[in-house]
Amino acid sequence: MSMTFCNVHFTQQPQKIVYVSGALMKSLKLSGKKSVKLRLGGERIPALVKPINKQGNHLYLASGVRKGIKVPMSGGVFLRNLDAGEVQLGPLIGILSDGSSSLINPFGSRTGFIKQLLREGSNQSYIFAFTPRDIDWQDETVNGYFLTETDRFTRRRVPLPDVVYNRLPSRRAETTSPINQLRERFIRKRIPFFNWSFFNKSDIYRLLENDPLAAQHIPESHMNPAPEQIKDMLDRHSFVYYKPSAGSLGKGIYRLSYVPKRGYYARYRNTKGNVLQRFATFGSLIKTLQSRHGRTLRSYVVQQGIRLIEIDACPLDFRFHMHKNGKNQWVVVGIGAKKAGKGSVTTHLKNGGSLLTPQQALSRVFGPKGEEVLNKAKKTAITIAEAIESRDQHLIGEIGFDFGIDKDENIWMFEANAKPGRSIFRHPLLRAEGKASVEHILEHCLYLSKFRRREGV
């Protein structure tokens, strides 16, 4: 099986003919052949082969061929020479999200990111975005959103894609029966579907607790804690984090602390801002938590508090944006250092946090040793990503980690997110990493769809 890159053009002839330049005939081993079977996604069509005298790799599709397999547009794509005289165009990459039917802003706040993916990917693939309602399972087609040269969306009906990158934004929507059926249908058709669903905190801790290399970086954590467990952890660690197992963006998180002879404290954020509440007894603290979250305190995790490194008396943590690359290996693509706002439970930017590069942050804390600490954290991130992937039954191509570092240079993993936000890439010094993130997504799509990029292409 060989692969090459070529420019696809359209002609108006109604016949099922493909016109192939001499160099491309040679690359695809079509010399002397009268016909070929062309494929896009799951669609196939037989066509006559006509050689043409033109420099470079060029493929001209008559309208009968183009319409037969629903080729969406002209331009540069890969060709795979498969067995039995079949040539596949592609890859056909689908970005799954949700939103409105508007052509201007069809994916809401995700539209800018999706446009970036389509812009970068259109130079090497047929890439489109779609929502669950755009799929016609009976015809096995998708009415996808493609990007034109003028940066506008246009709709094209294409076959089911070769690979799906899942960016459905809602944790609630992902647990519905229709979405579960959608994912299973793609798998039954052997279409790689990566970033299956949002992670659940308790599931991740459970996955990692038996991995000796990863477990040493996970703070002590308990799902659905009994009040006695919370008190025991406060006695041993002096402070803990109490957070929803399926939460995100720092919502619903409490920092609970115990100061001997002074009592118990709960720090959290409400609609008005950061709140610090004191309780004379542990019982009154628990009573308040139970009144807000139910007597059983279910769907919450209690986690050991870690004394993080600080700048200006404000704790720091780090977002590590991880990707699978075109060789199916985990790499660290972007790191943002997040400094907590005054009085905030978390370092989330929406809660008053600020963003620095990891070099800026670690050099202020550790001086010249900062680079060594950063490299140690990168190796830890790859170790934990590999541990999660080896124990998860679905394809994962991207993970966001929230890491903490203590004064003894120990690395701690607090959160793992299968669909990490991209706010760190707004930092002026991290824009190159944001572009690299997009490139890694596309490279992994090429890998999963078996359109592996050759060196030098």
Side-chain angles (χ1 to χ4, degrees):
M1 180 176 64
S2 63
M3 192 173 73
T4 190
F5 192 78
C6 84
N7 281 299
V8 172
H9 312 268
F10 298 145
T11 71
Q12 296 304 313
Q13 289 96 324
Q15 304 96 327
K16 294 177 182 175
I17 298 176
V18 292
Y19 300 89
V20 189
S21 66
L24 189 57
M25 289 281 286
K26 192 174 178 182
S27 292
L28 295 176
K29 300 180 175 63
L30 292 178
S31 300
K33 293 197 175 178
K34 302 289 185 187
S35 65
V36 68
K37 193 180 287 180
L38 280 186
R39 172 180 162 189
L40 179 67
E43 298 272 9
R44 292 170 175 81
I45 192 169
L48 296 174
V49 175
K50 299 281 186 183
I52 54 170
N53 186 17
K54 187 174 175 67
Q55 294 294 313
N57 291 332
H58 294 273
L59 183 70
Y60 288 79
L61 305 180
S63 64
V65 174
R66 177 194 174 187
K67 290 174 183 175
I69 54 173
K70 302 176 181 65
V71 180
M73 49 187 59
S74 56
V77 293
F78 287 98
L79 294 178
R80 288 174 70 215
N81 192 353
L82 306 175
D83 297 332
E86 187 170 283
V87 173
Q88 182 181 10
L89 288 76
L92 187 59
I93 299 172
I95 315 296
L96 175 63
S97 192
D98 207 351
S100 67
S101 55
S102 157
L103 263 180
I104 297 170
N105 194 35
F107 304 103
S109 61
R110 297 165 305 287
T111 299
F113 170 50
I114 287 172
K115 270 194 169 184
Q116 192 181 1
L117 280 168
L118 268 52
R119 217 176 281 129
E120 290 289 328
S122 60
N123 298 321
Q124 57 191 326
S125 65
Y126 293 125
I127 184 167
F128 64 95
F130 68 107
T131 71
R133 62 182 173 274
D134 293 324
I135 308 170
D136 185 330
W137 289 108
Q138 196 168 351
D139 288 348
E140 298 192 355
T141 59
V142 185
N143 190 20
Y145 290 82
F146 287 81
L147 206 58
T148 67
E149 289 182 359
T150 56
D151 213 43
R152 294 171 183 266
F153 285 110
T154 183
R155 306 296 293 272
R156 296 276 191 275
R157 188 160 290 282
V158 289
L160 293 177
D162 296 312
V163 59
V164 177
Y165 170 46
N166 178 19
R167 285 300 299 200
L168 279 171
S170 164
R171 189 182 288 268
R172 186 180 300 169
E174 280 202 333
T175 59
T176 62
S177 178
I179 297 301
N180 284 331
Q181 288 174 9
L182 176 149
R183 289 184 294 215
E184 294 295 345
R185 275 173 147 164
F186 277 118
I187 298 309
R188 279 202 303 272
K189 293 187 177 299
R190 300 189 176 180
I191 294 172
F193 185 104
F194 72 101
N195 292 12
W196 186 261
S197 64
F198 287 93
F199 290 149
N200 183 294
K201 292 180 181 65
S202 58
D203 291 343
I204 292 297
Y205 301 147
R206 207 174 293 122
L207 279 177
L208 297 176
E209 65 185 1
N210 295 320
D211 186 295
L213 289 176
Q216 63 184 312
H217 300 288
I218 312 299
E220 181 186 350
S221 307
H222 299 283
M223 180 65 185
N224 303 331
E228 296 76 23
Q229 276 181 307
I230 298 175
K231 187 172 189 311
D232 173 61
M233 287 186 69
L234 281 170
D235 289 342
R236 288 186 292 112
H237 301 300
S238 77
F239 78 100
V240 299
Y241 285 94
Y242 181 68
K243 49 193 179 181
S245 179
S248 60
L249 302 176
K251 291 176 182 175
I253 294 179
Y254 295 82
R255 186 186 192 271
L256 308 179
S257 55
Y258 170 56
V259 181
K261 298 182 181 177
R262 292 179 62 186
Y264 295 85
Y265 295 83
R267 192 180 289 278
Y268 58 95
R269 186 175 179 85
N270 63 18
T271 53
K272 295 178 182 175
N274 297 320
V275 177
L276 177 62
Q277 202 170 351
R278 179 183 173 276
F279 300 88
T281 65
F282 178 74
S284 56
L285 166 65
I286 286 296
K287 203 172 279 184
T288 297
L289 292 177
Q290 288 175 331
S291 69
R292 291 178 183 169
H293 306 290
R295 290 200 62 78
T296 58
L297 302 179
R298 291 192 66 77
S299 301
Y300 260 72
V301 172
V302 64
Q303 188 175 77
Q304 168 192 354
I306 303 293
R307 298 283 177 194
L308 299 176
I309 55 174
E310 297 180 344
I311 291 178
D312 304 326
C314 296
L316 288 169
D317 69 15
F318 298 81
R319 165 56 61 92
F320 276 62
H321 206 112
M322 314 288 295
H323 283 285
K324 278 295 197 71
N325 63 15
K327 296 177 181 176
N328 204 33
Q329 301 162 329
W330 283 108
V331 289
V332 180
V333 172
I335 307 171
K338 298 181 293 176
K339 177 183 163 189
K342 290 285 184 186
S344 176
V345 183
T346 72
T347 58
H348 287 85
L349 305 184
K350 288 183 179 178
N351 296 352
S354 54
L355 191 64
L356 300 85
T357 68
Q359 291 83 2
Q360 288 169 335
L362 292 172
S363 64
R364 284 184 64 177
V365 177
F366 294 109
K369 205 176 181 186
E371 196 65 30
E372 183 185 324
V373 175
L374 180 58
N375 288 333
K376 179 182 174 184
K378 287 178 179 178
K379 288 178 183 173
T380 301
I382 291 170
T383 296
I384 297 176
E386 289 173 346
I388 291 173
E389 183 190 24
S390 69
R391 287 163 170 77
D392 195 287
Q393 59 181 318
H394 301 298
L395 289 175
I396 306 170
E398 178 180 30
I399 300 177
F401 286 128
D402 284 337
F403 275 15
I405 302 174
D406 65 26
K407 292 187 174 89
D408 296 323
E409 302 172 20
N410 297 311
I411 315 295
W412 300 93
M413 194 279 281
F414 302 130
E415 305 271 352
N417 191 332
K419 297 184 190 176
R422 302 184 60 81
S423 58
I424 65 168
F425 299 130
R426 293 183 197 137
H427 192 288
L429 295 178
L430 291 173
R431 282 181 188 148
E433 284 85 347
K435 188 174 187 299
S437 166
V438 167
E439 289 167 354
H440 276 79
I441 292 166
L442 297 169
E443 286 290 332
H444 196 52
C445 286
L446 289 176
Y447 171 83
L448 290 174
S449 61
K450 298 187 170 62
F451 281 84
R452 293 175 179 82
R453 185 196 290 272
R454 297 185 313 190
E455 294 299 320
V457 173

Short mmCIF file of all heavy atoms in Angstrom, two decimals, residues 137-157:
data_model
loop_
_atom_site.label_atom_id
_atom_site.label_comp_id
_atom_site.label_asym_id
_atom_site.label_seq_id
_atom_site.Cartn_x
_atom_site.Cartn_y
_atom_site.Cartn_z
N TRP A 137 -28.34 8.37 9.03
CA TRP A 137 -27.81 7.01 9.19
C TRP A 137 -28.34 6.07 8.11
O TRP A 137 -27.69 5.08 7.77
CB TRP A 137 -28.16 6.46 10.58
CG TRP A 137 -27.38 7.12 11.67
CD1 TRP A 137 -27.85 8.01 12.60
CD2 TRP A 137 -25.98 6.97 11.94
NE1 TRP A 137 -26.83 8.42 13.43
CE2 TRP A 137 -25.67 7.79 13.06
CE3 TRP A 137 -24.96 6.22 11.36
CZ2 TRP A 137 -24.39 7.88 13.60
CZ3 TRP A 137 -23.68 6.31 11.89
CH2 TRP A 137 -23.40 7.13 12.99
N GLN A 138 -29.52 6.37 7.57
CA GLN A 138 -30.09 5.51 6.54
C GLN A 138 -29.24 5.56 5.27
O GLN A 138 -28.93 4.54 4.66
CB GLN A 138 -31.53 5.93 6.23
CG GLN A 138 -32.30 4.87 5.48
CD GLN A 138 -33.79 5.18 5.46
OE1 GLN A 138 -34.28 6.09 6.13
NE2 GLN A 138 -34.54 4.42 4.68
N ASP A 139 -28.87 6.78 4.87
CA ASP A 139 -28.02 6.96 3.67
C ASP A 139 -26.53 6.87 3.99
O ASP A 139 -25.71 6.86 3.08
CB ASP A 139 -28.29 8.33 3.04
CG ASP A 139 -29.65 8.38 2.35
OD1 ASP A 139 -30.26 7.32 2.18
OD2 ASP A 139 -30.09 9.49 2.01
N GLU A 140 -26.20 6.87 5.29
CA GLU A 140 -24.82 6.89 5.74
C GLU A 140 -24.07 8.11 5.17
O GLU A 140 -22.97 8.01 4.61
CB GLU A 140 -24.09 5.59 5.40
CG GLU A 140 -24.71 4.39 6.09
CD GLU A 140 -23.86 3.13 6.01
OE1 GLU A 140 -22.82 3.15 5.33
OE2 GLU A 140 -24.25 2.13 6.64
N THR A 141 -24.71 9.27 5.33
CA THR A 141 -24.11 10.53 4.89
C THR A 141 -24.20 11.56 6.02
O THR A 141 -24.96 11.40 6.98
CB THR A 141 -24.82 11.10 3.65
OG1 THR A 141 -26.21 11.32 3.95
CG2 THR A 141 -24.69 10.17 2.45
N VAL A 142 -23.43 12.63 5.86
CA VAL A 142 -23.44 13.74 6.82
C VAL A 142 -23.55 15.04 6.04
O VAL A 142 -22.83 15.24 5.05
CB VAL A 142 -22.14 13.77 7.66
CG1 VAL A 142 -22.23 14.87 8.72
CG2 VAL A 142 -21.86 12.44 8.31
N ASN A 143 -24.42 15.93 6.49
CA ASN A 143 -24.52 17.26 5.89
C ASN A 143 -23.58 18.18 6.68
O ASN A 143 -23.97 18.81 7.66
CB ASN A 143 -25.97 17.77 5.96
CG ASN A 143 -26.17 19.02 5.13
OD1 ASN A 143 -25.39 19.32 4.23
ND2 ASN A 143 -27.21 19.78 5.45
N GLY A 144 -22.30 18.21 6.26
CA GLY A 144 -21.26 18.84 7.06
C GLY A 144 -21.04 20.30 6.75
O GLY A 144 -21.46 20.82 5.72
N TYR A 145 -20.37 20.98 7.70
CA TYR A 145 -19.97 22.38 7.55
C TYR A 145 -18.51 22.42 7.09
O TYR A 145 -17.61 22.03 7.84
CB TYR A 145 -20.08 23.12 8.88
CG TYR A 145 -21.48 23.36 9.37
CD1 TYR A 145 -22.18 22.37 10.03
CD2 TYR A 145 -22.10 24.60 9.18
CE1 TYR A 145 -23.47 22.58 10.50
CE2 TYR A 145 -23.39 24.83 9.65
CZ TYR A 145 -24.07 23.81 10.30
OH TYR A 145 -25.35 24.04 10.76
N PHE A 146 -18.30 22.86 5.86
CA PHE A 146 -16.95 23.04 5.33
C PHE A 146 -16.63 24.53 5.32
O PHE A 146 -17.52 25.37 5.37
CB PHE A 146 -16.84 22.49 3.90
CG PHE A 146 -16.83 20.98 3.84
CD1 PHE A 146 -18.01 20.25 3.91
CD2 PHE A 146 -15.63 20.29 3.71
CE1 PHE A 146 -18.01 18.87 3.85
CE2 PHE A 146 -15.62 18.90 3.64
CZ PHE A 146 -16.80 18.18 3.71
N LEU A 147 -15.34 24.85 5.25
CA LEU A 147 -14.92 26.25 5.22
C LEU A 147 -14.47 26.61 3.81
O LEU A 147 -13.69 25.88 3.19
CB LEU A 147 -13.76 26.45 6.21
CG LEU A 147 -13.57 27.85 6.80
CD1 LEU A 147 -14.81 28.31 7.54
CD2 LEU A 147 -12.37 27.85 7.74
N THR A 148 -14.97 27.73 3.31
CA THR A 148 -14.59 28.19 1.98
C THR A 148 -13.28 28.99 2.06
O THR A 148 -12.80 29.30 3.15
CB THR A 148 -15.68 29.10 1.37
OG1 THR A 148 -15.74 30.31 2.15
CG2 THR A 148 -17.03 28.40 1.39
N GLU A 149 -12.74 29.34 0.90
CA GLU A 149 -11.51 30.13 0.86
C GLU A 149 -11.71 31.53 1.44
O GLU A 149 -10.75 32.19 1.84
CB GLU A 149 -10.99 30.23 -0.58
CG GLU A 149 -10.44 28.91 -1.10
CD GLU A 149 -9.88 29.02 -2.50
OE1 GLU A 149 -9.96 30.13 -3.07
OE2 GLU A 149 -9.39 28.01 -3.02
N THR A 150 -12.95 31.99 1.50
CA THR A 150 -13.25 33.31 2.08
C THR A 150 -13.61 33.21 3.56
O THR A 150 -14.16 34.13 4.14
CB THR A 150 -14.39 34.00 1.31
OG1 THR A 150 -15.55 33.14 1.31
CG2 THR A 150 -13.99 34.29 -0.12
N ASP A 151 -13.31 32.05 4.17
CA ASP A 151 -13.49 31.84 5.61
C ASP A 151 -14.97 31.82 6.04
O ASP A 151 -15.30 32.19 7.16
CB ASP A 151 -12.73 32.90 6.41
CG ASP A 151 -12.19 32.34 7.72
OD1 ASP A 151 -11.67 31.21 7.71
OD2 ASP A 151 -12.30 33.02 8.75
N ARG A 152 -15.82 31.37 5.14
CA ARG A 152 -17.24 31.23 5.47
C ARG A 152 -17.61 29.76 5.46
O ARG A 152 -16.99 28.96 4.77
CB ARG A 152 -18.12 31.98 4.45
CG ARG A 152 -17.94 33.49 4.48
CD ARG A 152 -18.67 34.13 3.29
NE ARG A 152 -18.47 35.55 3.25
CZ ARG A 152 -19.30 36.45 3.81
NH1 ARG A 152 -20.38 36.03 4.44
NH2 ARG A 152 -19.05 37.74 3.73
N PHE A 153 -18.65 29.43 6.20
CA PHE A 153 -19.13 28.05 6.21
C PHE A 153 -20.02 27.78 5.00
O PHE A 153 -20.79 28.65 4.57
CB PHE A 153 -19.94 27.77 7.48
CG PHE A 153 -19.10 27.60 8.71
CD1 PHE A 153 -19.11 28.55 9.71
CD2 PHE A 153 -18.28 26.47 8.87
CE1 PHE A 153 -18.34 28.40 10.85
CE2 PHE A 153 -17.51 26.32 10.00
CZ PHE A 153 -17.54 27.29 11.00
N THR A 154 -19.88 26.58 4.46
CA THR A 154 -20.79 26.12 3.42
C THR A 154 -21.15 24.67 3.74
O THR A 154 -20.36 23.95 4.35
CB THR A 154 -20.14 26.24 2.02
OG1 THR A 154 -21.09 25.85 1.03
CG2 THR A 154 -18.92 25.34 1.89
N ARG A 155 -22.34 24.25 3.34
CA ARG A 155 -22.78 22.88 3.64
C ARG A 155 -22.52 21.98 2.45
O ARG A 155 -22.77 22.34 1.30
CB ARG A 155 -24.28 22.84 3.99
CG ARG A 155 -24.72 23.78 5.11
CD ARG A 155 -24.11 23.44 6.45
NE ARG A 155 -24.55 22.19 7.01
CZ ARG A 155 -25.62 22.04 7.79
NH1 ARG A 155 -26.40 23.07 8.07
NH2 ARG A 155 -25.93 20.86 8.30
N ARG A 156 -22.02 20.78 2.73
CA ARG A 156 -21.82 19.76 1.70
C ARG A 156 -22.23 18.41 2.28
O ARG A 156 -21.91 18.10 3.43
CB ARG A 156 -20.33 19.67 1.31
CG ARG A 156 -19.77 20.92 0.65
CD ARG A 156 -20.06 20.96 -0.83
NE ARG A 156 -19.33 22.01 -1.50
CZ ARG A 156 -19.72 23.27 -1.59
NH1 ARG A 156 -20.86 23.64 -1.03
NH2 ARG A 156 -18.98 24.17 -2.22
N ARG A 157 -22.91 17.61 1.47
CA ARG A 157 -23.27 16.26 1.92
C ARG A 157 -22.15 15.31 1.50
O ARG A 157 -21.78 15.25 0.34
CB ARG A 157 -24.61 15.82 1.32
CG ARG A 157 -25.11 14.50 1.91
CD ARG A 157 -26.60 14.31 1.71
NE ARG A 157 -27.42 15.22 2.50
CZ ARG A 157 -27.67 15.07 3.80
NH1 ARG A 157 -27.16 14.05 4.48
NH2 ARG A 157 -28.44 15.93 4.42
#
